[in-house]
Amino acid sequence: MPGRRSSDTFFGHDDEQYDPVRNGVQLMTAGMFAEIAGYRGQTAQARAVLGTLAKAAGDAPYSVTTATSFEARTAAVVGDPAWALRAAERGIAADPHFSFASLGTYLRLAGCWALAATGQNPTAAADEAERLMRTHLASPARTCVSTWYAFLGEMRIAAGSPGQAAAALDSAEEYLERYGQRSAEALIILVRVQLKHVTGNNRGAVRLAGRARTVAHRQEAHLFAQRAGRFLTRIGQRGGTGVPALRSPRTPGDLGQGLVSNGTVS
């Protein structure tokens, strides 16, 4: 059958049982499981599931787009820009014409976030991310819109624009409250911690980091609880001075080549 790929075998279906709708749902279910594992701080498990998912997707454009969109989202959540860029590039290459707009939006957003996180023209990356969000994510609101406004806040901080970062975080909180997308709650608070630091309010940053840790523990988002705890330890060791990182950025090298041209994600 034309268009059949290894995902059918992965999910235990033979030729007579193949159902493309069911196959797509199962790909997304596995991707969601991996993303949740990322939130829980189980990064190795998330990588293993996503690696299996990538193999299962084969080279069918929709399947590849589905698998890589969850991979890119998970990579952004765990703070790995190099991984996010690799996933984004693979997904965009499978659907260069942006035919799968919903899932493809996450790929392009992850690419923007990764470039900004590694200092590669963060202003252009943030501008493009905001355009994508307004066009494809915010109206009507889609999955993870509050999460991506939090990431937009990070991009604006990286670009040296604290006012725009604050506006992005306000939007993140608005979407969180309006649509109940609470998975991003601790992340939003942690980005506000970064914003407090860059504006010189270390005391406020410490207070918010404690709140982020409490929220993350309550939601079992152990990744964010650990991140907040590391922050509090570092700032305690520094005597309340300096700007300890909430993430450990990795340099993606040339992985972003071709993803952004003149500030626009292709």
Side-chain angles (χ1 to χ4, degrees):
M1 179 185 297
R4 288 291 308 278
R5 294 299 182 264
S6 58
S7 52
D8 317 329
T9 303
F10 172 72
F11 291 117
H13 303 150
D14 58 27
D15 289 346
E16 298 301 322
Q17 295 176 316
Y18 177 68
D19 181 336
V21 174
R22 179 178 59 188
N23 185 64
V25 170
Q26 289 178 317
L27 283 168
M28 285 190 280
T29 300
M32 289 177 187
F33 176 84
E35 192 171 18
I36 291 168
Y39 275 92
R40 289 179 58 83
Q42 299 166 335
T43 305
Q45 183 178 15
R47 285 181 181 274
V49 172
L50 290 163
T52 302
L53 201 61
K55 293 177 183 178
D59 59 2
Y62 178 75
S63 295
V64 173
T65 300
T66 301
T68 53
S69 69
F70 281 101
E71 185 177 354
R73 279 166 39 166
T74 303
V77 167
V78 304
D80 191 333
W83 182 20
L85 271 176
R86 289 194 299 270
E89 286 188 327
R90 292 201 316 275
I92 291 170
D95 178 28
H97 302 298
F98 208 174
S99 300
F100 309 119
S102 180
L103 293 168
T105 295
Y106 298 115
L107 291 169
R108 287 156 178 81
L109 287 173
C112 290
W113 170 82
L115 294 177
T118 52
Q120 300 184 62
N121 202 349
T123 298
D127 287 346
E128 175 63 4
E130 188 161 14
R131 184 193 69 78
L132 284 164
M133 291 167 66
R134 287 177 174 172
T135 304
H136 299 289
L137 207 64
S139 182
R142 297 186 181 274
T143 302
C144 300
V145 61
S146 58
T147 303
W148 282 101
Y149 268 106
F151 287 139
L152 178 61
E154 282 195 322
M155 293 183 235
R156 292 301 187 190
I157 291 171
S161 302
Q164 289 178 295
L169 292 170
D170 289 344
S171 294
E173 291 181 350
E174 179 182 348
Y175 280 104
L176 183 149
E177 294 298 337
R178 184 182 301 175
Y179 299 105
Q181 296 183 358
R182 310 207 75 84
S183 61
E185 188 170 5
L187 174 64
I188 294 168
I189 301 170
L190 285 171
V191 180
R192 285 206 182 273
V193 170
Q194 296 181 52
L195 184 59
K196 292 289 185 183
H197 260 301
V198 300
T199 55
N201 187 350
N202 287 347
R203 182 173 296 179
V206 169
R207 177 181 57 80
L208 283 177
R211 179 182 162 208
R213 184 165 60 178
T214 298
V215 169
H217 277 309
R218 184 178 71 241
Q219 297 179 334
E220 299 186 19
H222 304 308
L223 175 77
F224 300 140
Q226 293 161 6
R227 194 173 291 168
R230 287 195 300 270
F231 171 84
L232 290 168
T233 297
R234 290 173 188 168
I235 199 168
Q237 291 171 347
R238 293 167 183 243
T241 62
V243 186
L246 288 168
R247 297 177 180 264
S248 299
R250 296 166 174 82
T251 302
D254 295 327
L255 287 170
Q257 296 299 318
L259 188 66
V260 171
S261 176
N262 296 324
T264 302
V265 175
S266 58

